[in-house]
């Protein structure tokens, strides 16, 4: 698995595009990975890459940071962070699983909506900024080392 990931990263680093554009594509993908619109990450990545004329492969690759193994910790952290920054006093409710319907689920989750949106957008924005500069530095270093030897 490590070899596979390393090879995919090297493929992205070898793309013949300006470092700034590739870094923008990567950071957009990271923002999408943290975005609150669950189930629409791939559609969002392709559409926004097309709209901003960024590399679709890079945007999609970065958006896959959010995957079945990472989705729970990522969104749990975003929700926790959202509760903190909105100063919300929501509490985890007792759930009557036997009588849980769509209306009850809506009523249970509605108080978490604003903290969830605030947390995912804030964490996604910060992660996007850091990933832009981190990817730009990595890409420039990789290209410099390839040119030197």
């Amino acid at each position: 698995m490590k070899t596979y990931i390393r090879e995919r990263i090297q493929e992205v680093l070898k793309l013949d595009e300006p470092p700034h554009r590739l870094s923008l594509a990567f950071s957009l993908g990271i923002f999408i990975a943290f975005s609150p619109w669950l189930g629409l990450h791939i559609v969002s990545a392709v559409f926004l890459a097309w709209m901003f004329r960024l590399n679709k492969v890079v945007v999609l690759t970065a958006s896959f940071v959010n995957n079945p193994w990472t989705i729970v910790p990522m969104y749990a952290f975003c929700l926790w962070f959202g509760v903190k920054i909105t100063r919300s006093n929501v509490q985890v409710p007792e759930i009557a699983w036997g009588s849980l319907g769509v209306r009850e689920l809506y009523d249970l989750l509605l108080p978490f909506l604003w903290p969830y949106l605030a947390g995912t957008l804030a964490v996604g924005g910060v992660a996007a900024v850091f990933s832009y500069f981190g990817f730009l530095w990595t890409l420039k270093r990789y290209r410099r080392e390839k040119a030197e030897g």
Side-chain angles (χ1 to χ4, degrees):
M1 186 68 162
K2 276 178 131 177
T3 304
Y4 176 79
I5 293 171
R6 186 176 301 126
E7 288 172 357
R8 299 298 76 78
I9 291 171
Q10 286 179 345
E11 286 176 16
V12 169
L13 293 174
K14 289 178 186 177
L15 291 171
D16 188 29
E17 288 190 43
H20 169 70
R21 302 276 306 160
L22 288 175
S23 298
L24 276 175
F26 188 80
S27 65
L28 177 61
I30 293 297
F31 180 77
I32 291 168
F34 283 93
S35 68
W37 44 88
L38 283 169
L40 297 175
H41 288 127
I42 292 174
V43 172
S44 300
V46 171
F47 175 73
L48 292 172
W50 169 79
M51 190 170 100
F52 294 118
R53 293 185 169 88
L54 295 170
N55 189 300
K56 290 174 187 71
V57 171
V58 177
V59 175
L60 275 169
T61 299
S63 73
F64 290 146
V65 165
N66 186 340
N67 59 59
W69 297 285
T70 62
I71 191 168
V72 172
M74 283 175 64
Y75 283 124
F77 176 76
C78 288
L79 180 58
W80 172 83
F81 188 71
V83 167
K84 295 297 182 190
I85 64 173
T86 62
R87 296 194 167 137
S88 176
N89 60 356
V90 295
Q91 299 293 322
V92 177
E94 291 291 325
I95 299 173
W97 294 102
S99 63
L100 187 63
V102 174
R103 179 69 187 158
E104 292 80 17
L105 187 61
Y106 174 81
D107 291 339
L108 284 171
L109 295 179
L110 187 60
F112 293 93
L113 181 61
W114 171 238
Y116 169 75
L117 290 173
T120 55
L121 294 174
V123 172
V126 170
V129 169
F130 278 105
S131 67
Y132 172 84
F133 291 108
F135 190 85
L136 184 64
W137 178 82
T138 302
L139 183 58
K140 286 182 175 181
R141 182 175 174 207
Y142 178 82
R143 289 184 176 177
R144 186 173 50 248
E145 287 176 1
K146 283 294 183 185
E148 291 173 356

